[in-house]
Amino acid sequence: MTDANYKLTDEARRISVDLPAVRGTVGPAALDIGKLYRETGCFTFDPGFMSTASCRSAITYIDGDAGVLMYRGYPIEQLSANSNFLEVAYLLLNGELPTAAEFSEFEHEVTHHTMMHESMRFFLRGFHHDAHPMAMLCAAIASLSAFYHDKIDINDPAHRKLAAIRLIAKMPTIAAACYRYSIGWPMRYPRNNLDYCTRFLHMMFEVPSEPLDLSPVASKALDLLFILHADHEQNASTSTVRLVGSTGANPYASVAAGIAALWGPAHGGANEAVLKMLAEIGDVKSVGKAVERAKDKNSGFRLMGFGHRVYKNFDPRAKIIRTMCYRVLDELGVSDPLLDVAMKLEEAALKDDYFIERKLYPNVDFYSGIIYKALKIPTEMFTVMFAIARTAGWISHWIEQQETPDTKIGRPRQVYTGAIERDYRPIEVR
Ligand code: ACO
């Protein structure tokens, strides 16, 4: 960048402009800069959206400094202790906790949309056997807009609701089918006499030849993980769903884009990355070396499952899930050297000054990875598990966006750093 550019920036800083404040019910106010460019000729520059609110939303509230997370005003601690994933999904979608009759109707609707279209089995069979389940899930969810194209009028509230039910209901069936295909097992149909999480575990692990012996703590832990992962306001994947949704794209395409965004190791891919990292560390004796490597900026290595963009003191979800993590390990009597590495790493990082000073604590994905491993869910399915839970949040945000009258297409601007205007030169003189 040239000095002239910097001068321009300095001039820009002296520009005075009145900006209206936008206030929510709780949390910091936001400056409405919508007219800034028109009035001053300047953009704002905020890569990574460190100080930018992209929308108004009444779904989830986070106070990262205080470690607060609330869905529709209900603290995550209360929901985790008293609710279940389907009730939380209803709450996210509708804004209120259901009455007994409303819950029973919602549960019935979800339960009776769990089957996948039979043709989707052929669609999934088109993948190479070793395809990553996230790749299959992303494509399969996008394909729902082809299977249900007659019911994707985004302006019809009944179509929007049906899409939400279908996504929440079918996501576990499709996810389990992706996994079973990858290991060469026959796909299982959903058993609708089971609850949401137990049904999913059956679709994952039941074989036709023998009954499945499932510990109740497995469904309980899964339900808790799904509650904790159900929504997290404008994170990268939800913002992606909204950006795609802002163009008028259908709900399945929007949610498929969210799945793609979730896949990255800085977001939902972290729980898979945690297990890969633990395997790389190998044994408890190497934990100290790994911590030192994570502190060395030149190593390019970070402790996966540590740190969070918003929670700078502690992740309230991690606090809740840590207790469940120890319960699962205890009740299932799991003994696994990688889990010993995880526990040692947690202990070492929590008392290391580098991590304390930067407020880097284990996040929810550190413990979710360990629980999934204890439940024998394969590593490449970890992010898929996250996607099943987050579907409730994604589709709630998509619906809220469609119901907001002044929604504009999301279209950020940029600070251009390329060549300034120059003349085309024919190839023979270059
Ligand atoms: N290991 C080692 N150092 C770290 C880590 C880590 N996991 N995370 C952050 N740091 C350091 C950075 O090097 C930086 O140090 P510096 O101030 O000396 O330069 C400081 O802590 C701040 O880090 P940023 O990258 O600026 O923090 P940011 O808020 O942008 O990133 C993120 C948050 C992406 C989660 C980061 O902590 C990270 O990469 N963690 C590992 C991946 C992970 O667990 N992701 C899951 C997030 S939770 C979720 O998606 C549900």
Side-chain angles (χ1 to χ4, degrees):
M1 212 178 255
T2 64
D3 286 343
N5 292 128
Y6 281 113
K7 266 192 210 134
L8 187 66
T9 312
D10 285 338
E11 278 164 26
R13 274 203 204 110
R14 288 198 295 272
I15 291 169
S16 161
V17 59
D18 283 334
L19 295 172
V22 179
R23 288 189 188 279
T25 45
V26 60
L31 298 177
D32 179 351
I33 56 167
K35 293 186 187 136
L36 192 73
Y37 177 60
R38 209 176 328 143
E39 292 189 3
T40 68
C42 289
F43 294 140
T44 54
F45 182 61
D46 185 19
F49 305 111
M50 304 293 285
S51 299
T52 298
S54 62
C55 62
R56 287 184 172 88
S57 178
I59 299 175
T60 289
Y61 175 73
I62 298 174
D63 180 339
D65 293 327
V68 168
L69 168 61
M70 297 189 293
Y71 296 158
R72 301 286 191 180
Y74 295 101
I76 193 66
E77 292 78 7
Q78 290 185 27
L79 292 170
S80 305
N82 304 303
S83 188
N84 60 66
F85 173 68
L86 266 195
E87 187 180 66
V88 164
Y90 181 99
L91 172 69
L92 291 170
L93 276 168
N94 298 289
E96 296 297 336
L97 286 168
T99 61
E102 286 165 340
F103 181 71
S104 147
E105 191 193 327
F106 182 68
E107 191 177 34
H108 178 86
E109 277 184 293
V110 169
T111 305
H112 289 86
H113 281 91
T114 50
M115 300 258 286
M116 352 184 250
H117 195 291
E118 202 59 18
S119 299
M120 187 168 274
R121 297 161 83 87
F122 301 111
F123 175 77
L124 292 177
R125 280 187 195 138
F127 282 97
H128 198 257
H129 68 89
D130 60 359
H132 194 289
M134 276 300 275
M136 294 172 77
L137 183 74
C138 191
I141 295 304
S143 82
L144 290 178
S145 35
F147 286 108
Y148 303 110
H149 59 86
D150 57 329
K151 292 274 183 350
I152 49 170
D153 177 358
I154 62 168
N155 299 312
D156 183 333
H159 285 204
R160 292 198 294 261
K161 187 180 164 210
L162 183 59
I165 297 282
R166 279 187 167 141
L167 277 162
I168 292 168
K170 292 182 199 307
M171 192 68 84
T173 313
I174 296 171
C178 293
Y179 166 60
R180 292 179 75 102
Y181 178 72
S182 72
I183 55 165
W185 282 11
M187 293 172 196
R188 297 299 284 168
Y189 289 108
R191 285 176 42 182
N192 285 351
N193 59 333
L194 301 173
D195 66 73
Y196 192 85
C197 289
T198 312
R199 182 165 58 233
F200 172 69
L201 289 169
H202 271 258
M203 286 189 286
M204 282 286 288
F205 298 121
E206 196 174 39
V207 287
S209 39
E210 56 190 76
L212 180 68
D213 182 20
L214 199 62
S215 162
V217 79
S219 303
K220 181 77 201 132
L222 200 57
D223 194 66
L224 180 60
L225 278 166
F226 283 1
I227 292 174
L228 298 178
H229 277 121
D231 195 41
H232 214 228
E233 53 117 303
Q234 309 311 320
N235 55 85
S237 57
T238 304
S239 297
T240 303
V241 170
R242 280 186 177 264
L243 191 60
V244 176
S246 79
T247 68
N250 71 67
Y252 304 113
S254 303
V255 168
I259 294 173
L262 187 74
W263 198 357
H267 189 13
N271 51 16
E272 183 174 343
V274 168
L275 262 284
K276 284 195 177 139
M277 172 192 72
L278 294 177
E280 209 180 293
I281 296 173
D283 71 289
V284 285
K285 284 194 229 112
S286 308
V287 164
K289 235 192 300 169
V291 171
E292 289 312 308
R293 242 180 96 210
K295 287 157 43 174
D296 174 7
K297 294 280 188 294
N298 299 320
S299 72
F301 171 72
R302 283 186 168 199
L303 286 191
M304 288 293 118
F306 282 76
H308 198 276
R309 167 59 63 82
V310 178
Y311 296 121
K312 294 302 180 192
N313 275 318
F314 68 94
D315 179 341
R317 302 166 303 171
K319 248 185 163 177
I320 297 166
I321 205 63
R322 185 176 191 272
T323 312
M324 178 56 93
C325 180
Y326 282 95
R327 188 178 145 197
V328 168
L329 297 183
D330 185 45
E331 284 193 28
L332 296 183
V334 174
S335 136
D336 184 326
L338 282 198
L339 300 178
D340 297 339
V341 173
M343 296 305 137
K344 184 80 190 162
L345 189 63
E346 179 200 35
E347 187 193 317
L350 284 177
K351 58 184 191 212
D352 189 291
D353 284 345
Y354 173 96
F355 291 89
I356 295 168
E357 277 159 21
R358 288 168 181 75
K359 301 187 168 174
L360 298 169
Y361 300 91
N363 58 48
V364 65
D365 284 327
F366 184 72
Y367 298 107
S368 69
I370 297 170
I371 293 182
Y372 289 144
K373 170 118 177 86
L375 297 183
K376 297 196 167 49
I377 291 178
T379 312
E380 62 279 10
M381 279 295 286
F382 286 6
T383 316
V384 172
M385 308 297 290
F386 192 160
I388 297 173
R390 187 53 59 85
T391 297
W394 287 331
I395 196 62
S396 301
H397 281 273
W398 182 85
I399 288 178
E400 182 182 64
Q401 177 185 48
Q402 302 307 316
E403 290 176 351
T404 303
D406 60 353
T407 293
K408 286 188 167 52
I409 184 170
R411 201 327 185 164
R413 302 306 300 259
Q414 63 169 13
V415 174
Y416 175 69
T417 60
I420 55 169
E421 186 176 338
R422 49 187 169 165
D423 290 327
Y424 178 84
R425 297 168 71 217
I427 197 161
E428 57 278 9
V429 297
R430 278 175 224 157

